[in-house]
Amino acid sequence: MFLRCKVRRKDGKQHRYWSVVENTRTARGRVVQRHVLYLGEINDTQELAWRRSIEVLEDGATQPRTLSLFPEDRFAGALADASIVHVKLSLLQLRRPRQWGACWLALLLWRELQLDQFWSKRLGSSRKGTHWDKVLFVLVAYRLLAPGSEWRLHREWFRRSALADLLGEDAGLAEIHKLYRCHDRLLVHKQAVFDHLTGRWRDLFNISYDVLLYDLTSTYFEADPPFPEGDKRRFGYSRDHRPDCVQIVIALVVTPEGLPLAYEVLPGNTADKTTLRGFLERIERQYGKARRVWLMDRGVPTEEVLAEMRAADPPVHYLVGTPKGRLTRLEKHLLARPWQEARPGVQVKLLAQEGELYVLAQSRDRVAKERAIRRRQLKRLWARLKQLSTMQLTREELLMKLGAARDQSRIAWRLAVIEVATDSATFSYRLDRDKLRQARSREGRYLLRTNLVEEDPAKLWSHYLLLVAVEEAFKNLKGDLAIRPVFHQLEARVEAHVFIAFLAYCLHVTLARRLHALAPGLTPRSVLEKFAAMQMIDVHLPTTDGRELLLTRYTEPEPDLSLLLTKLKLDLPAQPPPKITAGPMPPISL
């Protein structure tokens, strides 16, 4: 990197503008200069009246003072004046680069949701001056931008970010004991956060809460049982395919736009069907009784809960997926029903029974997808079985390799009949054509169940597809925000960890809603990565009188990021004011 000066003449006067640029060599050997940092005009005119003044904060002073900067090689016309500082541009140094852009965007989203005001009222400051609301934002920003352990945040990441600059704090904000103690102060405010966010999303995005999506997931721990009596960390059905680890279950309610309304942390061995009743009561207390539609996957509601929903006053409407076993029971009744076109590529059959409506939906695209998956697995399984039949193996080795083949092609395995000899390492295999015929007839078909008997079938199908939003929420929590694995040992801090991930997801989904309206096609993660390219750098400029001028500057955005800022209607803040070390110069009253 080096300094580049651009000279312009304006109104008969010469102006010099300084930038930091970087040489980059292309594949063909050309050298291209990339603009890194704009320093602005360090004035050198012969007219004192033309001098550009800047506000500089001197070490030990509480108020800034006005100074004029001159390069050391330009003394002409610069009268002896205590407000003039000559800088040694040849000794300029760039120090402490740190990530600024994505941190600034996270703080912008935090303030847009007014979470800074919410938490400052509830967490406040300690007697030692610790701003717990700022510590919480550091934890949430870290979970959003570069998720990891609190120890990594303390040891590495905070120093490589510009959060201290943005919050007006220092490295003490990320002391390890503060990060852990902040967890202990959060859970009492969980319900208040739900209420606050509900109002903010209604104001920001005009969200209604007529349709709600409900689903569950699990996350596992790096911890060794046994745990105290009543601890929520338990062995159970693992959606992360880690049955060897203890886990907790997370139940989540979101809107069709993916905006979360409430969640609950449940023991790791909780059955899905036992969780719904409590959430129905909670949402009714929070939002009142209203015509509301609940979308759920199969296995979540029980027959008793569905009966209670139908009998409620007013009735609580639902649309749920139905296990394939019920499709077998209703198959004879559905065969006599005609197909109706719900929308292009989607056909439905309707069957009304006992105050409910069953909707058998068939998607042409889904049929093609599931058949392609099944054919691909069958082809792979048959090739593997043929290969195993020619290998010299012991019976134990054969069984192990068959088990591995089953894990790789579970859909195809259900359609095969494989018989292993009891006294030798031989086996036979064939295709079960009856099962294949039944599988073909059910590919791309879904049986839905609802008490919205008057609804248009096309609308019901569109509602059911909204379940993708809650699945996307879980995908973001486990992927982008890396909620798993959890290393905390105290149960309260485990729940606080989930709460921090929930707040980070709120920022994530708020950015997604902005992008949906203003820059469709971009994902929140891609935007955060673009903003992360903007760095903050300390520019150190020695002066001729033995002092040092410090200019803290964020780098200029690349052209594509400038376009994105325009699309999102965002304006970058002013550069931080320069600072100068105290020296022999006597103070001047302003």
Side-chain angles (χ1 to χ4, degrees):
M1 294 185 186
F2 59 94
L3 277 174
R4 185 176 69 184
C5 178
K6 185 175 182 180
V7 180
R8 292 182 57 194
R9 296 193 64 83
K10 181 179 179 182
D11 299 331
K13 300 168 185 175
Q14 184 173 284
H15 302 251
R16 292 202 301 173
Y17 300 91
W18 297 86
S19 300
V20 178
V21 297
E22 178 184 44
N23 280 345
T24 303
R25 190 172 296 278
T26 64
R28 298 184 178 181
R30 293 176 57 243
V31 175
V32 178
Q33 290 186 351
R34 187 176 73 89
H35 188 102
V36 176
L37 188 66
Y38 177 68
L39 296 176
E41 182 182 350
I42 301 179
N43 41 358
D44 56 358
T45 181
Q46 295 181 358
E47 299 289 339
L48 288 178
W50 175 79
R51 292 201 315 250
R52 172 170 173 253
S53 297
I54 64 172
E55 294 288 323
V56 175
L57 187 62
E58 190 173 5
D59 278 356
T62 58
Q63 296 294 328
R65 60 186 302 170
T66 302
L67 298 178
S68 294
L69 302 183
F70 281 78
E72 60 177 334
D73 61 340
R74 296 296 180 100
F75 283 94
L79 302 179
D81 191 328
S83 65
I84 298 175
V85 175
H86 297 284
V87 295
K88 300 178 180 180
L89 291 175
S90 59
L91 300 180
L92 177 142
Q93 291 184 343
L94 302 178
R95 301 178 190 170
R96 214 165 65 88
R98 50 206 183 273
Q99 197 272 104
W100 180 85
C103 295
W104 171 75
L105 182 59
L107 183 58
L108 192 73
L109 296 169
W110 185 258
R111 290 171 175 169
E112 185 175 34
L113 292 178
Q114 296 180 1
L115 289 171
D116 56 332
Q117 301 174 28
F118 176 89
W119 287 112
S120 64
K121 295 176 183 176
R122 286 165 175 81
L123 296 182
S125 304
S126 70
R127 289 180 299 173
K128 295 182 179 180
T130 300
H131 297 282
W132 292 111
D133 57 317
K134 294 182 179 180
V135 177
L136 173 59
F137 172 70
V138 169
L139 287 164
V140 173
Y142 176 60
R143 181 60 46 187
L144 176 68
L145 304 179
S149 67
E150 281 75 12
W151 183 248
R152 173 173 167 264
L153 166 60
H154 162 68
R155 287 294 298 271
E156 299 177 17
W157 188 79
F158 188 79
R159 291 185 293 105
R160 293 189 279 108
S161 76
L163 287 178
D165 304 86
L166 290 166
L167 298 174
E169 296 284 344
D170 55 24
L173 202 62
E175 292 180 40
I176 190 64
H177 69 277
K178 292 180 181 177
L179 299 178
Y180 284 124
R181 288 177 183 172
C182 185
H183 285 67
D184 302 332
R185 301 167 179 265
L186 303 179
L187 294 179
V188 295
H189 306 293
K190 190 167 72 169
Q191 186 57 50
V193 169
F194 297 158
D195 297 336
H196 172 80
L197 289 172
T198 300
R200 284 305 296 154
W201 283 322
R202 183 183 288 113
D203 296 339
L204 290 173
F205 307 120
N206 195 28
I207 299 296
S208 64
Y209 303 105
D210 299 333
V211 178
L212 298 180
L213 287 61
Y214 177 74
D215 206 351
L216 300 97
T217 191
S218 59
T219 186
Y220 61 90
F221 292 80
E222 298 293 340
D224 296 321
F227 300 110
E229 184 68 26
D231 197 289
K232 293 182 179 179
R233 289 168 287 182
R234 290 285 182 267
F235 288 105
Y237 169 67
S238 176
R239 296 161 178 85
D240 302 320
H241 308 293
R242 289 298 305 270
D244 58 313
C245 295
V246 292
Q247 65 176 17
I248 54 172
V249 171
I250 302 173
L252 180 67
V253 178
V254 303
T255 69
E257 296 81 12
L259 301 171
L261 297 183
Y263 79 91
E264 192 60 58
V265 176
L266 305 167
N269 57 358
T270 302
D272 292 359
K273 61 184 180 181
T274 64
T275 64
L276 179 59
R277 183 180 283 108
F279 263 92
L280 292 174
E281 295 172 356
R282 168 181 291 189
I283 295 299
E284 185 175 298
R285 286 196 307 268
Q286 188 171 355
Y287 302 102
K289 293 185 177 182
R291 179 182 169 85
R292 191 171 292 116
V293 182
W294 286 80
L295 308 183
M296 295 165 284
D297 211 344
R298 63 187 183 189
V300 173
T302 62
E303 289 294 330
E304 293 78 8
V305 173
L306 292 180
E308 291 174 9
M309 295 173 75
R310 292 193 297 271
D313 185 21
V316 180
H317 299 294
Y318 56 84
L319 175 64
V320 300
T322 304
K324 294 293 178 81
R326 187 170 290 269
L327 177 59
T328 303
R329 291 206 304 267
L330 298 175
E331 205 162 21
K332 293 181 180 178
H333 301 284
L334 288 168
L335 282 174
R337 302 282 174 170
W339 287 104
Q340 301 179 29
E341 191 80 11
R343 67 179 192 184
V346 178
Q347 293 179 311
V348 296
K349 286 185 177 183
L350 306 179
L351 176 64
Q353 275 193 357
E354 300 177 357
E356 291 184 301
L357 181 67
Y358 289 93
V359 182
L360 178 63
Q362 175 178 273
S363 169
R364 184 190 310 146
D365 293 339
R366 191 68 189 183
V367 168
K369 180 179 179 178
E370 292 186 7
R371 284 185 178 171
I373 293 173
R374 187 248 309 157
R375 287 168 179 165
R376 185 166 60 249
Q377 287 200 13
L378 268 175
K379 184 177 180 181
R380 181 173 60 201
L381 177 62
W382 241 243
R384 182 56 175 165
L385 293 175
K386 183 178 180 181
Q387 186 182 37
L388 291 177
S389 66
T390 62
M391 297 172 66
Q392 298 295 324
L393 302 169
T394 65
R395 191 171 187 277
E396 290 74 14
E397 290 173 336
L398 175 63
L399 293 175
M400 291 178 63
K401 291 185 181 296
L402 286 174
R406 176 187 176 184
D407 286 340
Q408 292 182 349
S409 308
R410 287 189 173 274
I411 295 177
W413 186 273
R414 300 188 192 104
L415 307 178
V417 178
I418 300 175
E419 298 175 349
V420 182
T422 58
D423 54 353
S424 64
T426 59
F427 71 100
S428 63
Y429 60 94
R430 62 182 175 84
L431 185 64
D432 189 327
R433 298 193 176 277
D434 290 335
K435 288 185 178 180
L436 176 62
R437 194 175 300 110
Q438 186 182 56
R440 281 180 55 86
S441 68
R442 293 184 175 181
E443 285 170 341
R445 293 183 177 181
Y446 301 88
L447 183 62
L448 311 180
R449 180 182 184 183
T450 181
N451 57 349
L452 292 165
V453 293
E454 299 89 5
E455 287 285 349
D456 180 13
K459 189 174 181 180
L460 293 174
W461 174 251
S462 300
H463 277 344
Y464 189 70
L465 294 181
L466 294 177
L467 277 176
V468 174
V470 72
E471 294 170 1
E472 186 70 16
F474 289 142
K475 180 181 176 182
N476 288 323
L477 281 170
K478 294 184 176 183
D480 274 356
L481 306 180
I483 194 175
R484 61 183 182 184
V486 184
F487 295 95
H488 291 282
Q489 301 301 309
L490 301 179
E491 183 181 355
R493 288 182 179 173
V494 167
E495 295 201 36
H497 170 86
V498 177
F499 188 41
I500 290 170
F502 172 84
L503 292 173
Y505 177 67
C506 291
L507 301 188
H508 186 280
V509 75
T510 301
L511 177 58
R513 292 306 302 167
R514 267 183 166 269
L515 295 173
H516 178 75
L518 301 173
L522 292 177
T523 64
R525 181 54 53 192
S526 65
V527 170
L528 289 171
E529 289 174 353
K530 284 183 179 294
F531 273 87
M534 291 186 69
Q535 300 286 301
M536 177 164 275
I537 302 177
D538 291 340
V539 183
H540 292 258
L541 285 167
T543 66
T544 55
D545 59 2
R547 295 184 293 167
E548 187 175 65
L549 182 69
L550 173 63
L551 291 90
T552 301
R553 293 289 182 268
Y554 57 77
T555 58
E556 290 293 299
E558 297 288 345
D560 57 341
L561 182 54
S562 297
L563 178 61
L564 180 59
L565 287 165
T566 303
K567 289 290 185 181
L568 294 179
K569 302 177 182 178
L570 298 178
D571 296 318
L572 294 175
Q575 296 278 15
K579 297 180 181 179
I580 192 168
T581 57
M585 190 168 57
I588 298 176
S589 59
L590 302 178

